[in-house]
Amino acid sequence: MPSISVIVPVYQAEKFLHRCVDSVCRQTFSDWELILVDDGSTDGSPALCDKLAARDSRVRVFHRKKNQGVSEARNLGLNEARGDYAAFLDADDCYEFHALETLWNLREQSGADAAACGLTYLFPDGKQSVQSQLPAGIFGQAEIREKLIDPLVGDRLAQPVFNGYSVCYLFSTDLIRKNHLVFDGPYLEDELFVLEYFCLARSLAVTDQPLYRYFLHGESATHHYMADFAQVFTRFMERKEALVAKYGLEAGRPQWRESSNWAGLLIAVGNEYARDNPKTIRQRQKAVKEFCRRPEMQKAIRELAPAGLNPNKQMVANLVRGKHFFTLTQLYRLKNRI
């Protein structure tokens, strides 16, 4: 039985998969299994998964005939995981070669329910940016609430936004299974999984070392138009409402809904002006107006004036609050060369 199960959802990842899998196979920590979940890929990913598994008996592959999304792929991986702890790795990213050893030793020595690390963003132009949102140390329940749960629930606008990436953590599979935790949805699924896990965890061990390499590129799902974003975000907020109520997280965060809805609104605007959106410019502008007219968005726009955003998002928020939708459209038209 391996100590760590590394779960990788694979969809149209033929270009990146070698790098991803090699980063696991070359770990200084050897007591792992790698679960590749081919989520209905139509490129060369299925055959490549099988080829990589044939090289190392610790690599297991599960194939799906139809694409069901990253959440269902991760859930399948969790169901099949044999390890005491689980880590999530995206197929277009990779680990530093001492990542698993560092996280395992950190958790083992502290006796914590989870371990966390920083990450390195790698941009297409070769630039890098290191992010360590949590300071190094051992956190008890009070510190987890202050430094992780409250930021995930409350302020989703002021920079730097606390990112609920599941890939930065080593999770207890026992805690996950006992509490029936699952990923849900095609977008923002990490945030709610991490939030609920740490509502249940007693302790967290953190290193600020950037052990995860996060590659930013145009082929990422977050760079493509999502036609059903409004429904996806509605489902996200329904689940977040349920978690806030279940774990009593509202105290001291009176405007968490408005902050979350503003964050969703800004994503929705960027989504409508994505380059691969097939709508005309007028249709996009109309869709943005309609999203802003939703009652929960009207309440957020009326009651909360975003501040502390990066300059581009601040400009978008100001234009939305002023109902300057024509100007907003022209700016995105220039920015994205629509």
Side-chain angles (χ1 to χ4, degrees):
M1 302 296 286
S3 295
I4 299 175
S5 296
V6 180
I7 298 166
V8 180
V10 179
Y11 182 66
Q12 310 297 73
E14 183 180 10
K15 284 193 216 174
F16 314 107
L17 196 56
H18 260 297
R19 179 182 66 198
C20 172
V21 172
D22 284 348
S23 80
V24 178
C25 291
R26 295 170 63 189
Q27 286 293 304
T28 55
F29 181 90
S30 61
D31 190 16
W32 52 261
E33 67 169 351
L34 175 59
I35 298 175
L36 302 176
V37 182
D38 164 36
D39 192 26
S41 298
T42 57
D43 63 355
S45 295
L48 182 55
C49 284
D50 292 335
K51 180 181 176 182
L52 293 168
R55 293 189 329 191
D56 193 317
S57 61
R58 294 172 295 178
V59 181
R60 296 195 289 148
V61 181
F62 296 88
H63 294 286
R64 282 182 154 161
K65 292 183 179 178
K66 293 183 179 179
N67 175 247
Q68 297 181 48
V70 64
S71 287
E72 289 306 314
R74 285 180 178 152
N75 290 337
L76 188 156
L78 282 172
N79 288 337
E80 297 293 341
R82 299 168 178 164
D84 294 325
Y85 287 81
F88 300 100
L89 173 61
D90 290 341
D92 51 353
D93 296 333
C94 66
Y95 287 135
E96 300 291 356
F97 298 129
H98 60 295
L100 296 183
E101 179 180 17
T102 302
L103 289 171
W104 178 262
N105 288 341
L106 184 64
R107 191 218 56 78
E108 189 80 352
Q109 291 162 11
S110 65
D113 294 319
C117 66
L119 56 80
T120 302
Y121 288 113
L122 296 107
F123 297 87
D125 61 4
K127 292 181 181 178
Q128 299 185 9
S129 174
V130 173
Q131 182 181 80
S132 299
Q133 290 191 306
L134 291 168
I138 311 300
F139 299 169
Q141 287 178 308
E143 292 85 4
I144 289 174
R145 176 69 182 252
E146 176 192 352
K147 297 185 181 299
L148 192 153
I149 293 174
D150 283 352
L152 281 176
V153 172
D155 192 351
R156 308 309 296 145
L157 297 172
Q159 299 297 308
V161 174
F162 189 97
N163 292 313
Y165 295 149
S166 63
V167 295
C168 294
Y169 299 91
L170 188 62
F171 299 96
S172 163
T173 52
D174 184 56
L175 189 153
I176 289 170
R177 287 169 181 156
K178 280 182 177 178
N179 295 282
H180 311 290
L181 303 187
V182 295
F183 289 88
D184 184 1
Y187 199 55
L188 300 170
E189 74 291 338
D190 281 32
E191 197 168 297
L192 296 183
F193 183 90
V194 170
L195 175 61
E196 185 163 21
Y197 184 94
F198 285 104
C199 285
L200 297 161
R202 296 164 301 172
S203 54
L204 167 65
V206 180
T207 175
D208 53 11
Q209 294 181 57
L211 303 177
Y212 190 94
R213 296 174 67 78
Y214 189 116
F215 289 85
L216 295 154
H217 54 82
E219 295 179 50
S220 169
T222 57
H223 286 81
H224 293 289
Y225 174 63
M226 187 183 296
D228 60 346
F229 178 78
Q231 293 89 340
V232 167
F233 187 73
T234 297
R235 171 61 180 157
F236 166 79
M237 284 300 294
E238 288 172 352
R239 289 196 64 226
K240 190 168 184 178
E241 286 271 6
L243 290 179
V244 168
K246 181 178 180 179
Y247 295 105
L249 304 178
E250 189 152 14
R253 296 289 182 184
Q255 288 192 303
W256 73 265
R257 290 179 189 83
E258 288 71 33
S259 180
S260 296
N261 279 321
W262 255 115
L265 193 159
L266 293 172
I267 295 170
V269 172
N271 181 58
E272 281 301 328
Y273 293 108
R275 290 185 185 181
D276 59 346
N277 183 349
K279 296 177 185 175
T280 66
I281 282 292
R282 287 186 178 181
Q283 288 171 332
R284 298 179 197 215
Q285 184 171 309
K286 181 180 178 183
V288 169
K289 285 183 179 180
E290 289 175 353
F291 196 86
C292 291
R293 290 191 189 114
R294 292 162 64 111
E296 67 275 20
M297 297 302 164
Q298 284 283 292
K299 186 173 186 295
I301 293 168
R302 183 174 63 252
E303 297 184 6
L304 181 63
L309 305 179
N310 68 42
N312 288 342
K313 286 188 177 181
Q314 190 67 59
M315 183 183 298
V316 171
N318 293 343
L319 290 171
V320 166
R321 293 198 84 217
K323 300 182 180 180
H324 302 301
F325 295 107
F326 177 78
T327 303
L328 179 67
T329 299
Q330 298 312 308
L331 287 174
Y332 266 103
R333 194 172 188 175
L334 289 171
K335 176 179 178 286
N336 292 344
R337 300 178 183 177
I338 302 169

